[in-house]
Amino acid sequence: MRPHVARLDTNAMPWTPGDMTGLFSKILSHDPKTGARTALQRIDPNFGYKAPSAAHFHHMDEEIFVLKGRFTFDGEVWLTAHSYCFHPSETVHGFKSALAEESWFLSRVSQELDFNFVEKPRETTKPYSLKDAPGPRGVSVVPDPQKANWQDVQNKAGKVVMQRLVLSQHPQTGEGSMLVRFLPGWESPYGNHFHSVYEEAFVLDGALEAADGTVYGAGCYSFKPPRTVQSRLQSERGALCYINVGGLLDFVPAAKL
Ligand SMILES: [Fe+2]
């Protein structure tokens, strides 16, 4: 499991040159045992970045959430700010990759990233699996979450205080990714509590305030391993967050630890 990352302000972190020309990274969390990691990545044609010229696959799940820019894996669907995609391990993709402008995205991989080109991919631009029996969490591409079907979440008084959009989810374990919009004035009904599964969050817009005084503004990142105690959260002016969870989210009062 990755170590606890209480709060990182990614705006204040420097870019580190990656292993490809024109690729820069900010490593946000990393599991030294498995190589699983989340990084903020910047690919920049002005610094010589060239999109991969052929289809490829990885031996690990790859998940991308775009913060800004414009690029494509298939020459048809262009990914822009807040676009999302999930490629399970051994999914061939990137048939017609192209980069229109400097782009930033959050990249999550479930193990150390490898890169395998496919010399003769199938005659398609749609991702396909090399596995005989692909896992239950399939490819997900959400180019424009704004247009998707968000779910309203009400408080006890029946007022809508939050909206949620699941981007990709394992149908059995609940592990997955979502966008959560906390409406202005939202207050968590839970005091000091923890979850039985990991919770990773990146604030895209607005801010969340914790009862212990921590403020998570736009660009702030956290990774909470299972059973990490957190204090009550609220959002005075609202917030939009990209959240990844290790399974269905439970809320256990911290007193039970
Ligand atoms: Fe890839």
Side-chain angles (χ1 to χ4, degrees):
M1 183 54 62
R2 309 181 197 191
H4 182 204
V5 179
R7 178 187 177 276
L8 275 181
D9 179 1
T10 63
N11 304 299
M13 296 170 68
W15 290 108
T16 305
D19 50 7
M20 291 162 81
T21 306
L23 166 72
F24 305 88
S25 294
K26 299 181 185 187
I27 305 292
L28 308 184
S29 70
H30 177 238
D31 182 344
K33 270 200 193 132
T34 64
R37 65 111 184 89
T38 299
L40 177 54
Q41 300 205 301
R42 169 183 152 210
I43 46 178
D44 197 338
N46 303 310
F47 285 81
Y49 183 86
K50 290 204 167 41
S53 54
H56 67 274
F57 69 93
H58 314 285
H59 283 103
M60 65 286 312
D61 299 343
E62 177 190 45
E63 195 164 5
I64 282 173
F65 186 84
V66 183
L67 298 182
K68 70 171 192 176
R70 217 165 86 85
F71 59 95
T72 179
F73 287 117
D74 60 10
E76 294 165 19
V77 177
W78 284 84
L79 304 177
T80 58
H82 297 186
S83 294
Y84 170 85
C85 78
F86 177 78
H87 294 134
S89 65
E90 294 182 56
T91 299
V92 179
H93 59 279
F95 306 92
K96 287 186 180 170
S97 294
L99 174 65
E101 60 193 64
E102 176 187 350
S103 298
W104 294 15
F105 57 91
L106 290 162
S107 157
R108 302 182 83 240
V109 291
S110 60
Q111 292 172 49
E112 202 74 51
L113 184 65
D114 66 0
F115 208 94
N116 312 277
F117 281 110
V118 180
E119 294 214 347
K120 287 186 184 160
R122 286 185 202 160
E123 291 279 324
T124 179
T125 54
K126 295 275 164 277
Y128 64 89
S129 179
L130 295 172
K131 292 181 179 172
D132 292 335
R137 188 177 173 190
V139 171
S140 172
V141 180
V142 186
D144 189 355
Q146 289 299 338
K147 289 189 182 147
N149 213 356
W150 291 64
Q151 173 198 355
D152 285 341
V153 180
Q154 299 175 348
N155 64 8
K156 272 192 181 155
K159 186 182 171 199
V160 176
V161 289
M162 188 199 280
Q163 292 169 312
R164 192 163 45 196
L165 175 69
V166 173
L167 297 165
S168 158
Q169 191 175 40
H170 190 292
Q172 275 100 44
T173 67
E175 180 170 23
S177 302
M178 65 189 104
L179 282 169
V180 178
R181 184 182 289 125
F182 300 93
L183 299 181
W186 172 81
E187 279 182 358
S188 170
Y190 304 100
N192 286 357
H193 68 277
F194 63 85
H195 308 298
S196 306
V197 295
Y198 74 76
E199 181 188 42
E200 181 183 46
F202 186 92
V203 181
L204 298 162
D205 197 15
L208 289 162
E209 303 94 34
D212 66 6
T214 312
V215 176
Y216 302 89
C220 282
Y221 170 87
S222 63
F223 185 92
K224 296 183 175 75
R227 301 171 72 80
T228 303
V229 174
Q230 49 189 305
S231 57
R232 188 189 296 274
L233 283 171
Q234 62 167 48
S235 180
E236 199 183 319
R237 54 193 173 101
L240 178 65
C241 298
Y242 171 54
I243 294 177
N244 289 277
V245 290
L248 289 178
L249 214 54
D250 54 353
F251 290 82
V252 187
K256 293 209 170 160
L257 253 190

